[in-house]
Amino acid sequence: MSRSASFLTVSQDCAPVTAPSGSRAADAIDVVAEAADGNEAVEAVRRTRPDVVLMDIRMPDLDGLEATRRILSGAPGEPRVIILTTFDLDHLVHAALGAGAGGFLLKDVTPEHLTAAVRLVRTGDALLAPAITRRLVDRHACRGPEATTLHRDLTNLTPRELDVLRLLAQGLSNAELAARLHLAETTVKTHVARALAKLRLRDRVQAVVTAYETGLVSAGDHRPAP
């Protein structure tokens, strides 16, 4: 049996979301610490070494963006960070990507969705809330062709890795990728890992942004949210 995920929540609102008590999913989440600002978060991470940090991007003293940078500064055993954000702060999502955040959720996330997100990100995967994904797509859809300059060399990818990256950017999970490409899910995971390594990307969130920035996919290719 795999060990439970350790979890640190950071919010000026004193933990606005929590794992649903009494549920089977909640049994897999161990909340090891809470912090009210970025400075407390950095110290709590050093002290408790959680697997996942849920980070409010808007906090006093040290905001969530700078706290994420400090937490993910390359120290061994660094945790995964999920950013809590709102519609009017989506411009900070791009900066947080550069800081290495592994996921983004809206503040109205349900406890059940939060628990699933923590478990997903802990495994090394990444996520974007559907509404945030749509805003990223809309932003890139508004950019002209001159803005799609390749900042990463996609020619290093095999045709299969390009297929995987293209579908990944459309929001497909590993299981959906496997079904679409008629591959085993373990094979899909291998292709994803190799594509990320070749492009020097941290996770799937950065892969999605890269796919749009390079013009590999466009807004019309994005699969509508259910």
Side-chain angles (χ1 to χ4, degrees):
M1 181 181 298
S2 60
R3 69 177 180 87
S4 62
S6 57
F7 173 47
L8 165 66
T9 179
V10 186
S11 174
Q12 63 177 344
D13 301 322
C14 299
V17 285
T18 57
S21 60
S23 71
R24 179 180 301 176
D27 293 338
I29 304 282
D30 180 16
V31 181
V32 296
E34 296 179 2
D37 60 45
N39 287 314
E40 288 185 15
V42 174
E43 176 56 33
V45 167
R46 290 171 180 164
R47 185 178 70 252
T48 63
R49 298 178 65 109
D51 295 312
V52 178
V53 176
L54 180 66
M55 180 76 71
D56 190 342
I57 204 167
R58 187 168 50 178
M59 292 183 298
D61 299 327
L62 186 70
D63 65 26
L65 187 57
E66 181 58 28
T68 297
R69 288 194 186 101
R70 296 186 187 185
I71 289 170
L72 301 178
S73 60
E78 61 189 26
R80 306 285 291 170
V81 176
I82 300 175
I83 295 289
L84 276 176
T85 188
T86 54
F87 287 120
D88 60 331
L89 293 177
D90 69 299
H91 63 285
L92 296 179
V93 170
H94 294 269
L97 279 171
F104 299 90
L105 293 174
L106 300 179
K107 285 191 174 182
D108 60 358
V109 62
T110 65
E112 291 76 16
H113 188 184
L114 169 65
T115 300
V118 170
R119 297 173 70 184
L120 176 70
V121 171
R122 180 212 177 189
T123 65
D125 211 332
L127 70 116
L128 288 170
I132 295 175
T133 302
R134 286 196 295 272
R135 291 179 71 85
L136 286 171
V137 171
D138 290 344
R139 173 166 294 192
H140 287 287
C142 294
R143 300 169 65 184
E146 69 282 356
T148 60
T149 303
L150 295 181
H151 72 293
R152 298 186 189 274
D153 189 1
L154 297 185
T155 61
N156 289 332
L157 301 184
T158 67
R160 179 60 80 190
E161 288 164 354
L162 281 171
D163 289 340
V164 167
L165 180 59
R166 186 178 295 109
L167 293 174
L168 182 157
Q170 294 175 39
L172 274 67
S173 66
N174 283 342
E176 292 169 330
L177 282 167
R180 178 74 65 87
L181 298 174
H182 306 290
L183 298 171
E185 192 168 344
T186 54
T187 303
V188 167
K189 290 180 180 179
T190 298
H191 286 310
V192 170
R194 287 177 177 169
L196 294 180
K198 288 180 179 180
L199 296 175
R200 298 182 180 180
L201 300 173
R202 183 184 181 91
D203 52 38
R204 295 166 74 109
V205 175
Q206 291 185 339
V208 170
V209 173
T210 295
Y212 282 100
E213 287 183 339
T214 59
L216 181 64
V217 293
S218 62
D221 298 326
H222 187 259
R223 186 183 63 170

